[in-house]
Amino acid sequence: MRNRTRFLIPFVAVGLVTAACSSGGTTPSTQGSAPAPSAAAPADSKSFPRNETLYSSGTMWGPPANWNPLREWDSATGTKGLLYETLFLYDAATDKFQPWLAESGEWTGDKEYTLKLRSGITWSDGKPLTADDVKFTFELGKIETVPYHNIWTFLDSAEVVDPQTVKFTFKEARYQQWANHVYQRAIVPKHLWESVKPEEVVDYANENPVGTGPYKYHSHDQDRQAWVKRDDWWGIKALGKDVKPKYIVDIVNSSNEVAMGLLLQKGLDLSNNFLPGVANLVRGNFGVSTYYADAPYMLSANTAWLVLNTKKKPMDDPAFRKAMAYSVDTKRIVENVYGNLVKPADPTGMLPQWDKYVDKTVTGSMGFAYDPEKSKQLLADAGYKDTDGDGLINNKDGSKIDLKIIVPTGWTDWMESIRVISTSAKEVGISLTPEFPDYNALVEARSTGKFDMLINNERQLSNTPERYYDYIFNLPVQKLQNTVNFGRYENKEAWDLVGKLDATKTDDVEGMKAITSQLQKIQLEDMPVIPLWYNGLWSQVSNSVWKNWPSDAANTPKNPPTMWRNWLELGGVLVLTELQPAGA
């Protein structure tokens, strides 16, 4: 998962509960060297009739700069999902894949997967989608800078059998990762992309994007990205589905205060920002609703962990890490910092959507909860004592413990959270000071291992818990740890189990459970990361222009109401087919 980070701007809204801000799974615009096309004229009511337009916000934190679906972390909102599409969609609520560009896909041998495309799909320039496009897209991964380059460590070849069929042959079958790729890889047109030089493909701005999706590029400006509906989209006939808004305009975030104002003034239909005071919005007569009518209001999107640098003392000691876990007052964070907009995490940190893979026997006997006396006892039993009478424990050799916990400045919810963690740690005798470097400085410290503790939520919901445990246990530890295992924890047994899980077929649920149970025993015994809470899929909707938004109420759609990157293929695009005009 590439650089899935957040940029946060605090605000105070009159009459609403003031709280810390975050945007959960969103990403600041960290565009590469690719130039942006010239800006279009600002959108106006004549260009975008209000009753035909869905306005969204909460994904882009800078002007749209590229329409490259390989850049899943900073491409313009909707590049993957509205413009470019994937072979399948994945529904986390039902744990089922829905054929999309693909008509079918199946393992036709131990190391062979055969994929058949739907017929009659065309690119927005009128050219047909073919197996050559699929083969070309996956072979782009042979370029080292392409984010899915690692697929070629286990994929051997992609062969075009006929215009609608591709046969993939593997060096080794990694069923879990492959299932992840078939719903995450956006297919690009070979006839347009084959002229892009390999060294430029990731930085390619793709100024005139051509996709298969239900929308095509309309215009953009410094503060927005606009899409217009394709009346010839293949899904209308093949799926019997049609997106309802003629236009989608995604507004660049300037501040959450602006998002709040737009939502209340009915200038925004879908806000994927963190908005404090959601309870007041939902209960008041503002025409605003959330997925749940009561706390936590939002679906869970990712797990926030306390990451400890296991290469530094005393974090290299499992007993100390376990004592830290018992010292954290997560309930106080959930209630006081978030106002119950998030849920406390299970001891394993596995998202609620993965609950069937949590071994309750293991968590029942090895799980942890806030218990300062237990924390003190664990520290004492492990040999950590206050040797100089200052009320704080020392290392086993008598040296001072003076630790720092960091989150980026401006991420106000996390800033308040680590203040709680620091206070709780000091109550059990651990000297822990919160610090707030700028985001780039934190990334540098995190990547190089020059930190003590930090909060992280890089790994998102996906089709498989294998991706979760890959984040925790990934080996080997590199000089720069850029995307996984920031705590540099090394356990070959655990990493081998992750590989065994990866090689387990996705329909072998019992086999997967047996392996995740073993991983959870190692996790709770060694505590390489400490799960804290589940960040929400921030989503507040206005019912003034569009209705029939997803919710947990009976007879309503259940897909995730979001425009966040990498969530449209998790069913977010289906929300657009289920909406109804409010006046209908």
Side-chain angles (χ1 to χ4, degrees), residues 501 504 508-516:
L501 177 60
T504 302
D508 183 7
V509 174
E510 292 306 313
M512 292 172 66
K513 285 181 178 179
I515 298 168
T516 56

Side-chain angles (χ1 to χ4, degrees), residues 14 66-67 84 96 103 158 164-165 168 193-194 198 203 217 284 288 302 353 418 435 484 487 527 583:
V14 177
N66 77 81
W67 296 262
Y84 293 97
K96 294 185 183 301
E103 181 179 89
Q164 304 303 122
T165 308
F168 295 93
W193 281 64
E194 62 185 345
D203 287 335
Y217 174 90
V288 174
N302 55 65
Q353 295 91 330
I418 67 170
E435 292 188 348
V484 292
M527 211 67 72

Side-chain angles (χ1 to χ4, degrees), residues 191-461:
H191 66 280
L192 297 175
W193 281 64
E194 62 185 345
S195 61
V196 182
K197 295 177 181 179
E199 63 271 21
E200 296 175 356
V201 72
V202 173
D203 287 335
Y204 178 45
N206 196 24
E207 297 170 339
N208 299 297
V210 171
T212 58
Y215 290 88
K216 58 185 178 181
Y217 174 90
H218 179 281
S219 60
H220 80 283
D221 200 355
Q222 292 297 298
D223 70 340
R224 67 192 60 209
Q225 168 64 48
W227 304 99
V228 61
K229 177 180 173 178
R230 278 183 64 189
D231 292 327
D232 61 345
W233 178 52
W234 63 270
I236 298 171
K237 289 184 179 179
L239 303 173
K241 296 180 183 296
D242 193 12
V243 292
K244 301 307 187 296
K246 182 174 181 178
Y247 304 99
I248 293 179
V249 179
D250 188 70
I251 306 298
V252 173
N253 294 284
S254 57
S255 73
N256 289 340
E257 183 177 19
V258 170
M260 175 74 83
L262 286 171
L263 189 67
L264 293 177
Q265 295 164 20
K266 308 187 190 315
L268 198 61
D269 302 297
L270 171 61
S271 170
N272 293 131
N273 306 73
F274 177 94
L275 299 182
V278 163
N280 290 348
L281 282 178
V282 173
R283 293 169 188 164
N285 188 26
F286 297 106
V288 174
S289 60
T290 51
Y291 191 88
Y292 297 109
D294 296 301
Y297 299 99
M298 316 292 170
L299 292 165
S300 296
N302 55 65
T303 304
W305 301 277
L306 176 59
V307 178
L308 304 96
N309 188 340
T310 65
K311 298 303 179 187
K312 297 178 72 173
K313 291 186 179 300
M315 287 77 66
D316 62 342
D317 183 356
F320 179 86
R321 299 195 295 266
K322 194 174 292 187
M324 269 302 304
Y326 279 98
S327 78
V328 179
D329 191 352
T330 302
K331 184 173 182 286
R332 182 177 166 193
I333 295 172
V334 169
E335 294 179 353
N336 294 356
V337 176
Y338 283 101
N340 290 307
L341 289 181
V342 301
K343 295 171 63 175
D346 175 89
T348 67
M350 295 274 278
L351 286 159
Q353 295 91 330
W354 288 327
D355 185 64
K356 66 183 176 184
Y357 297 111
V358 176
D359 188 331
K360 302 299 194 299
T361 302
V362 171
T363 56
S365 61
M366 301 179 68
F368 63 92
Y370 175 57
D371 187 340
E373 294 307 313
K374 173 84 169 179
S375 178
K376 291 177 184 177
Q377 188 62 53
L378 287 169
L379 290 168
D381 291 347
Y384 297 97
K385 297 179 173 60
D386 175 9
T387 58
D388 53 13
D390 64 355
L392 300 170
I393 61 167
N394 296 77
N395 278 308
K396 296 177 184 180
D397 62 3
S399 60
K400 285 274 190 183
I401 292 177
D402 187 14
L403 304 174
K404 305 291 189 294
I405 180 170
I406 57 174
V407 298
T409 186
W411 296 32
T412 53
D413 56 333
W414 284 15
M415 291 170 70
E416 289 303 316
S417 296
I418 67 170
R419 288 187 177 107
V420 172
I421 293 169
S422 172
T423 299
S424 298
K426 287 174 181 173
E427 288 172 356
V428 302
I430 299 171
S431 176
L432 182 63
T433 303
E435 292 188 348
F436 315 109
D438 67 50
Y439 175 73
N440 290 332
L442 180 138
V443 170
E444 173 71 15
R446 188 180 69 192
S447 298
T448 57
K450 296 176 181 177
F451 71 93
D452 297 327
M453 301 183 200
L454 54 80
I455 304 292
N456 186 254
N457 68 330
E458 296 280 309
R459 192 51 57 98
Q460 306 291 304
L461 176 66

Side-chain angles (χ1 to χ4, degrees), residues 107 110-111 154 170-176 499 502-504:
W107 288 90
D110 288 342
K111 296 182 179 181
F154 61 92
F170 296 82
K171 301 168 189 173
E172 55 180 309
R174 298 188 183 178
Y175 299 106
Q176 302 288 326
D502 199 1
T504 302

